[in-house]
Amino acid sequence: MRERRAFAALLSFLPLMLCLSGCGLLGRHASVPEYVFTYAENQTSDYPTTQGAKRFAELVRERTGGRIEIRVHPNAELGSEVSSVEQLRFGGIDFARVSLSTANVLSPKSIVLQMPYLYRDSAHMWSVLNGEIGQEIMASFDGSGVVPLSWYDAGVRNFYTVSRPIERPEDVSGLKIRVQENDLMQDMVRELGGIPVPLPYEDVYSALQTGSADGAENNWSSYEAMRHNEVAKYYTLDEHMRVPEMQIISQVTWDKLSDGDRRILRECAEESARYEQSLWQSRSDSAEEKVRGEGTVVIVPSPEEKLRFRQAMEPLYEKYCGPYMELIRKIEAVD
Ligand code: GCU
């Protein structure tokens, strides 16, 4: 009987407690975010893109007074890049940072930004991404199910192999090379006479270890972060591709937000991108130093051989950029 009365008393206070907590009168710490969003990232916790994601989440929390909380999941906890993009399209995941090789299926035109030997150097790529062309490519994702927010750095990609070094384009012939799950990347290996092995990033180490791939290709930071140097010690500086990374949000999530919140997200994404870029070069240098110290053999092709790699990949422009050749010329002309 007494218990029933105590329970009834508690119930009578419930509306008051709900009201107080709704008005924030039960203390600031009790305030509950209006939105809790997920963010997919396939790199390790200390990798520059993950650091950028964490900075993004922090900035958004600050600028929305805690109304928007973003939970960053590194190490592909939410699935591979390909599956994260799919989940974003249906609103199962709210944000992701992905390689353009994974996102370009959503905008055929965006492939122009990752063509082999397109940029003279990193500064050239950043002038393109930060200028009108970068904006035009972001706009080309309209209607794809994801909204691009900013560009992140991913350095330059190089081949690496398990049992023999690649010194000339001919050396790729007959080798099984792991690539991202993307047609352009597979064709690039075919142009060199190799056999493409498309796999998610998380599976590369074991593919190299078990021999289902004889080599792979990526930047210094990824080669080191995923410990690929332990199983593939020949790293060839052919510098075939700069593939920008993108921070994206699901269209489903975007549509729920007010214009003000969208503006905050864009600003914070831009700021986090500048932060990621500021971390990139030193991470890449320290990764290189570390793997060299651990026994990686670095092959630097002569300018003539580099030109031959470039020529071998030229047919890809015709196949993938037919309607966009004018845009390619515009990119080449950017200072
Ligand atoms: C880079 C990129 C990853 C991508 C990976 C890959 O490391 O940052 O997002 O998944 O390349 O080769 O798959």
Side-chain angles (χ1 to χ4, degrees):
M1 187 63 184
R2 200 185 294 154
E3 275 161 16
R4 210 182 293 157
R5 240 185 275 135
F7 184 63
L10 195 70
L11 274 186
S12 67
F13 276 115
L14 203 59
L16 178 66
M17 282 161 67
L18 284 176
C19 167
L20 287 177
S21 84
C23 307
L25 294 179
L26 283 184
R28 294 199 170 277
H29 297 295
S31 80
V32 177
E34 190 178 340
Y35 299 107
V36 177
F37 291 139
T38 46
Y39 186 123
E41 167 63 66
N42 71 352
Q43 299 285 7
T44 52
S45 273
D46 62 346
Y47 197 86
T49 55
T50 317
Q51 294 294 316
K54 290 179 185 164
R55 173 62 65 93
F56 173 62
E58 229 170 79
L59 291 168
V60 171
R61 187 177 46 74
E62 266 166 40
R63 293 194 192 156
T64 60
R67 265 191 316 102
I68 301 185
E69 183 180 323
I70 298 170
R71 295 192 180 155
V72 179
H73 295 265
N75 299 312
E77 269 171 29
L78 301 180
S80 71
E81 267 194 356
V82 169
S83 97
S84 298
V85 168
E86 271 312 293
Q87 294 181 70
L88 246 87
R89 293 182 69 199
F90 298 107
I93 295 177
D94 302 295
F95 294 88
R97 187 287 312 159
V98 295
S99 166
L100 187 57
S101 293
T102 309
N104 72 26
V105 289
L106 303 178
S107 150
K109 189 180 181 181
S110 69
I111 218 162
V112 295
L113 293 183
Q114 69 172 95
M115 293 306 289
Y117 297 104
L118 173 68
Y119 306 108
R120 293 183 298 278
D121 49 26
S122 165
H124 179 204
M125 180 186 80
W126 281 109
S127 304
V128 173
L129 297 179
N130 290 333
E132 264 171 38
I133 299 175
Q135 287 300 320
E136 178 181 337
I137 298 298
M138 281 199 182
S140 73
F141 283 77
D142 278 4
S144 70
V146 310
V147 180
L149 293 174
S150 71
W151 300 108
Y152 272 27
D153 207 344
V156 65
R157 296 179 80 99
N158 297 293
F159 287 111
Y160 44 92
T161 40
V162 175
S163 48
R164 58 180 168 86
I166 295 176
E167 282 159 0
R168 306 165 308 145
E170 291 76 10
D171 294 335
V172 178
S173 178
L175 292 182
K176 290 174 284 177
I177 305 287
R178 177 275 168 174
V179 286
Q180 292 170 285
E181 297 158 279
N182 172 270
D183 292 346
L184 169 67
M185 302 309 270
Q186 296 189 51
D187 278 342
M188 173 182 72
V189 168
R190 286 193 192 102
E191 290 298 341
L192 297 169
I195 304 145
V197 180
L199 282 177
Y201 187 48
E202 309 73 65
D203 298 347
V204 183
Y205 186 100
S206 71
L208 293 167
Q209 193 180 37
T210 59
S212 46
D214 303 311
E217 48 84 53
N218 216 322
N219 55 51
W220 282 120
S221 309
S222 299
Y223 175 65
E224 182 266 330
M226 300 302 274
R227 298 182 292 109
H228 294 171
N229 62 309
E230 291 175 3
V231 282
K233 71 168 181 174
Y234 299 105
Y235 193 90
T236 302
L237 282 174
D238 61 287
E239 301 190 314
H240 52 265
M241 244 185 216
R242 289 183 185 273
V243 183
E245 319 262 33
M246 268 189 150
Q247 234 184 348
I248 53 181
I249 177 172
S250 162
Q251 183 80 51
V252 177
T253 311
W254 190 246
D255 290 344
K256 285 184 206 158
L257 298 169
S258 67
D259 285 350
D261 282 346
R262 290 179 186 175
R263 223 177 2 258
I264 292 176
L265 289 182
R266 281 207 185 280
E267 267 168 33
C268 298
E270 274 306 321
E271 271 183 57
S272 77
R274 284 196 291 275
Y275 177 63
E276 191 265 352
Q277 288 154 37
S278 77
L279 299 178
W280 182 263
Q281 199 50 51
S282 65
R283 171 63 183 233
S284 174
D285 293 346
S286 61
E288 174 180 352
E289 199 185 313
K290 181 159 179 270
V291 296
R292 280 183 187 263
E294 290 173 1
T296 287
V297 178
V298 181
I299 298 99
V300 186
S302 65
E304 294 75 33
E305 289 303 344
K306 225 168 141 181
L307 181 65
R308 295 183 60 244
F309 274 103
R310 183 188 186 128
Q311 287 165 342
M313 294 183 193
E314 250 155 39
L316 297 171
Y317 278 80
E318 207 174 300
K319 178 158 183 195
Y320 287 91
C321 301
Y324 315 120
M325 281 318 280
E326 205 176 308
L327 189 53
I328 294 283
R329 300 288 161 251
K330 263 169 85 182
I331 294 174
E332 286 168 347
V334 170
D335 279 341

